[in-house]
Each structure stands twice: as C-alpha cells, then as structure tokens.
C-alpha cells in the first residue's frame, strides 16, 4: 500500500521515535476501543465513527481520512476482503473475521497498525489463519534490525506462512512511515534473504503481512479501494510500526490494549 512519497528513506532521531511511539500508543488505544465494540450486529460504519471520535478527542488526526481520497478513518475488511474495505452499512455476523487497519497522526508523525478480530465463534480454519498471520508479523519484526536487509524481513514472513500452506498477497506491501504515512522503502511480504535496502538505525517500517487461506490472487472493486481474494476464501492482516535499532527492534505500535491480547 505504497504510493511512493517521499522517494528517499528518512532516518528518525530518538526524539522523533518517541513521537511516533506516542502516536502508536494512541493508535493502540483505538484498537482497544474497537476490540470492546466488535460483536455480532455492529456495523463497520459504527466502528469507524467510534474510532474517528476517539482520535479527535485525543487531539490526533486520522491518517487515512482523505488520504488520496480515502473516505474513512478505518479500513474494515471482512472475511474474503483482504484490505481497504470501506466502512458502511455492513453488519458483523457470528463467525466473521474483520481486519481493521488504522493510522494516527499526532505531533507531526504517523503510526500505522492493523489487527484481525474475531466475531463470536470462528471456524478452526480461520483461527489457524489468524494465528499464522500474526506470528508471521513477529517473525518479520525479529529480522527488523540494523545490518539486515529488507529482504530478510520479507523472506521470513513468506517462509513462515508458506510452510503452513498459506499464500502471501503480492499486490500490496509494507512501507516506511514517519512524517508521511507512506515513505520509502517498500517492505514486501515475500522475497529473498539479503536482498533490498540495508536496514539502518532510525528507519521506521510498517510491516504488514496480508495472508490468504487459498490462492494469493486478489482483485479490486470498482469503489477504487476494496481488495478481495479472487477465490473468495478468507484473508488476514496484522501490522505494526517498527523502529530499526542496533540489536533489537522496537515496536512503536501496540496490541496491548486489545481485549484478550497478551503482550
Ligand atoms: Co500500512
């Protein structure tokens, strides 16, 4: 989900990383709020309004709203929708999975994070997809350290999910994030070890595996945003904003406010 701006990698200072972490904390609390509100019968429009009002009440700006004409605060992607589902009159049903992606701008810096939630009781098949996708995000993050390359992140995600029989969406990728929602470099969820940009201290990356149960192919709806699996099978999406450091990656967004999460 990269729109190529700006075309140079920006390296953040310690102070800037702290600001992104603050945006990330507010974003984490948005996810916490969403997790409390997700249940059968709730509309995606309702969730969007709750998130929008919460961000505004905390003096933040929703990063996605009006971004390239995007009409909402959240992307709400149910079941076979991969990403960029537009909130509306769609009601959650028992057994659904819903990927919610959100960005927050606070004090000049963006944080970007996505999580796939469950509604009521989901199938074992969906449960396994969610687990593998979330774990693949953390496999990618483990490799997000200075001295590695982008391809080390990409490879580790791809390897983790393909070993379990899932497929990696290729049309959309992770990205640098900071003063802009989308910065260099692109961070694909597939690739080869040792390829791509060198990771250096101060880079901040949004790592975001989008993983399908079935085939990797997707198509775009005529609304200009919604991306769905071509085979109609479910897809999951988790995303963290991560700072590259020497030794250990630092995750600047958080799932810790999400009901039922242990972090
Ligand atoms: Co992103």
């Amino acid at each position: 989900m990269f729109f190529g701006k700006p075309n140079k990698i920006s390296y953040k200072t310690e102070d800037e990383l702290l600001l992104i972490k603050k945006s990330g904390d507010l974003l984490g609390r948005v996810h916490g709020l969403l997790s409390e509100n997700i249940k059968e019968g709730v509309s995606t429009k309702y969730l969007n309004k709750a998130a929008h009002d919460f961000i505004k009440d905390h003096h933040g700006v929703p990063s996605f709203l009006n971004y390239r004409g995007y009409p909402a605060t959240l992307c709400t992607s149910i079941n076979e929708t991969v990403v960029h589902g537009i909130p509306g009159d769609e009601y959650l049903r028992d057994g659904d999975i819903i990927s919610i992606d959100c960005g927050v701008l606070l004090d000049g810096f963006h944080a970007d994070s996505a999580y796939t939630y469950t509604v009521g009781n989901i199938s074992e098949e969906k449960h396994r997809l969610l687990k593998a996708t979330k774990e693949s995000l953390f496999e990618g993050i483990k490799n997000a350290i200075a001295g590695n390359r982008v391809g080390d992140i990409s490879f580790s995600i791809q390897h983790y999910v393909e070993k379990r029989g899932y497929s990696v969406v290729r049309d959309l990728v992770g990205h640098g994030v900071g003063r802009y929602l989308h910065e260099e470099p692109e961070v694909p969820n597939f690739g080869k070890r040792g390829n791509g940009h060198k990771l250096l201290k101060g880079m901040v990356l949004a790592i975001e595996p989008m993983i399908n149960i079935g085939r990797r192919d997707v198509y775009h709806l005529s609304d200009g945003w919604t991306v769905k699996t071509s085979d109609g099978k479910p897809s999951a999406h988790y995303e963290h904003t991560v700072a590259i450091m020497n030794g250990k990656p630092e995750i600047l967004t958080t799932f810790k406010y999400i009901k039922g999460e242990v972090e």
Side-chain angles (χ1 to χ4, degrees):
M1 302 173 227
F2 181 75
F3 299 109
K5 188 192 174 200
N7 59 11
K8 274 179 70 183
I9 294 176
S10 88
Y11 298 90
K12 281 78 177 176
T13 64
E14 296 285 341
D15 287 349
E16 290 172 336
L17 293 181
L18 274 178
L19 291 177
I20 302 178
K21 199 167 188 173
K22 276 197 187 168
S23 308
D25 189 74
L26 177 54
L27 178 53
R29 286 184 285 139
V30 173
H31 276 290
L33 175 74
L34 292 168
S35 69
E36 297 286 343
N37 281 279
I38 286 171
K39 45 179 93 61
E40 208 180 330
V42 170
S43 71
T44 51
K45 195 164 70 181
Y46 176 85
L47 297 173
N48 185 72
K49 185 175 184 326
H52 178 270
D53 293 350
F54 185 84
I55 293 169
K56 289 284 182 183
D57 286 347
H58 292 82
H59 314 292
V61 175
S63 305
F64 299 177
L65 185 60
N66 301 320
Y67 179 82
R68 298 211 158 214
Y70 188 74
T73 291
L74 302 179
C75 297
T76 51
S77 307
I78 299 174
N79 296 328
E80 77 285 2
T81 299
V82 179
V83 286
H84 299 173
I86 301 170
D89 290 312
E90 207 174 6
Y91 293 81
L92 299 180
R93 293 165 307 181
D94 184 47
D96 282 345
I97 55 172
I98 175 171
S99 302
I100 303 192
D101 194 348
C102 186
V104 163
L105 171 68
L106 199 62
D107 292 330
F109 286 88
H110 294 272
D112 189 1
S113 177
Y115 192 92
T116 303
Y117 298 89
T118 61
V119 184
N121 293 309
I122 62 162
S123 67
E124 188 57 35
E125 188 190 36
K126 282 179 170 172
H127 176 77
R128 281 196 298 265
L129 170 71
L130 268 45
K131 184 168 183 292
T133 306
K134 195 203 283 178
E135 287 170 354
S136 79
L137 167 61
F138 288 99
E139 285 299 307
I141 291 173
K142 266 194 227 163
N143 286 279
I145 48 174
N148 270 1
R149 290 188 178 263
V150 170
D152 297 317
I153 299 174
S154 308
F155 171 83
S156 60
I157 293 170
Q158 179 180 15
H159 180 73
Y160 192 86
V161 299
E162 288 185 351
K163 217 168 53 185
R164 287 159 178 76
Y166 300 113
S167 60
V168 173
V169 174
R170 310 277 175 129
D171 293 37
L172 303 131
V173 298
H175 51 92
V177 55
R179 287 194 185 276
Y180 300 92
L181 177 61
H182 292 128
E183 299 183 358
E184 291 278 0
E186 290 194 25
V187 184
N189 300 300
F190 57 94
K192 290 199 169 70
R193 261 184 196 136
N195 270 11
H197 274 287
K198 187 117 179 200
L199 303 178
L200 296 173
K201 185 166 187 276
M203 285 171 68
V204 177
L205 304 177
I207 303 175
E208 47 178 321
M210 291 151 263
I211 306 301
N212 296 349
I213 282 188
R215 297 178 56 80
R216 69 181 186 222
D217 311 74
V218 299
Y219 69 99
H220 297 247
L221 294 196
S222 58
D223 63 16
W225 288 103
T226 312
V227 179
K228 286 177 177 271
T229 60
S230 298
D231 60 13
K233 293 187 179 165
S235 183
H237 180 209
Y238 291 84
E239 176 179 27
H240 265 317
T241 295
V242 180
I244 305 299
M245 309 295 279
N246 294 323
K248 197 171 164 291
E250 186 172 353
I251 306 177
L252 302 176
T253 44
T254 179
F255 296 154
K256 74 180 178 200
Y257 301 108
I258 292 173
K259 205 171 75 179
E261 260 297 316
V262 278
E263 204 184 14

